[in-house]
Amino acid sequence: KAGVTQTPRYLIKTRGQQVTLSCSPISGHRSVSWYQQTPGQGLQFLFEYFSETQRNKGNFPGRFSGRQFSNSRSEMNVSTLELGDSALYLCASSAGLAGFPYEQYFGPGTRLTVT
Amino acid sequence: TQLLEQSPQFLSIQEGENLTVYCNSSSVFSSLQWYRQEPGEGPVLLVTVVTGGEVKKLKRLTFQFGDARKDSSLHITAAQPGDTGLYLCKGAQKLVFGQGTRLTINP
């Protein structure tokens, strides 16, 4: 079974630009979660999508948004980039079924650098 | 918000030594998970513990879930350089991770 894939792996953008990151979950998984990881803040939860609907949301500004498609693939978008948005963005795939532990399977991440 | 506190934040020991890291919360969890993240990669699920008092072993790693299901520990026996990484715990029904313990095993 193929793992979680994220594209691109590395990205350099300039302040004020916007960026779109993509995630393809494990086949059959309906939940996709996004995390931002920085050395200072650790792994911070952005949002979770399940069957094309946002099911949970972290405490990030509205510049961060996402969506999920009918094939469970997900994208996240960051608009008006700031220097502080430089981070590793991780996508996690899960069956996401209620009543079962959220065993999440992570992709390798997208390293975003904002200059 | 159910906070997970991990300790220590950093740990550097010599190869062959034993160590224990902790994950604590004031809240009860129905189950809890441990992940390990190596540089340049995403976290990898190591184990899910479900029952209070449960002990699970994964080779030299021993995971324990507290009786009250509010805390967990990870014990590594005879640590090896390959154990180096960031160890993260998570309440299984939640999407929030602890801050992690960064472990370095020196040859």
Side-chain angles (χ1 to χ4, degrees):
Chain A
K1 195 182 257 190
V4 179
T5 59
Q6 291 188 246
T7 56
R9 290 293 311 276
Y10 303 91
L11 205 49
I12 300 175
K13 289 286 188 177
T14 304
R15 271 181 304 175
Q17 289 185 315
Q18 74 165 17
V19 67
T20 299
L21 311 181
S22 181
C23 171
S24 292
I26 291 171
S27 178
H29 282 186
R30 294 160 65 187
S31 166
V32 173
S33 300
W34 289 89
Y35 294 84
Q36 180 196 67
Q37 188 174 35
T38 59
Q41 298 298 317
L43 209 60
Q44 301 283 304
F45 171 67
L46 282 156
F47 30 67
E48 181 210 11
Y49 286 87
F50 181 83
S51 293
E52 302 180 66
T53 301
Q54 188 180 86
R55 185 160 70 171
N56 289 289
K57 188 177 188 304
N59 190 27
F60 276 79
R63 299 186 297 108
F64 292 82
S65 63
R67 59 178 175 169
Q68 187 179 34
F69 303 95
S70 59
N71 62 357
S72 293
R73 189 178 70 85
S74 178
E75 290 181 345
M76 69 162 280
N77 184 276
V78 188
S79 63
T80 320
L81 284 166
E82 301 177 358
L83 294 178
D85 297 333
S86 294
L88 180 67
Y89 289 88
L90 291 159
C91 163
S93 164
S94 171
L97 300 175
F100 289 85
Y102 264 81
E103 295 189 342
Q104 293 181 289
Y105 299 87
F106 283 81
T110 295
R111 172 74 62 185
L112 173 64
T113 302
V114 182
T115 61
Chain B
T1 303
Q2 295 177 313
L3 293 178
L4 285 163
E5 295 185 1
Q6 293 190 242
S7 60
Q9 288 189 50
F10 300 93
L11 184 58
S12 179
I13 63 171
Q14 294 300 119
E15 182 177 0
E17 293 183 0
N18 301 331
L19 66 106
T20 303
V21 298
Y22 301 91
C23 173
N24 294 293
S25 175
S26 57
S27 302
V28 174
F29 290 97
S30 58
S31 55
L32 192 141
Q33 296 165 341
W34 286 91
Y35 292 75
R36 178 172 68 206
Q37 184 179 20
E38 298 184 22
E41 300 179 10
V44 174
L45 177 65
L46 296 174
V47 75
T48 300
V49 285
V50 179
T51 306
E54 180 179 8
V55 176
K56 279 192 173 178
K57 292 192 174 185
L58 187 65
K59 297 183 180 178
R60 294 174 293 99
L61 278 60
T62 301
F63 303 85
Q64 185 160 8
F65 199 15
D67 291 340
R69 305 205 315 276
K70 292 183 178 182
D71 56 270
S72 181
S73 64
L74 159 59
H75 181 81
I76 301 179
T77 303
Q80 298 179 1
D83 296 325
T84 292
L86 178 66
Y87 288 81
L88 297 155
C89 67
K90 178 171 80 77
Q93 261 67 40
K94 301 298 179 181
L95 297 163
V96 177
F97 285 80
Q99 286 291 87
T101 292
R102 191 164 295 280
L103 176 63
T104 303
I105 309 300
N106 303 300

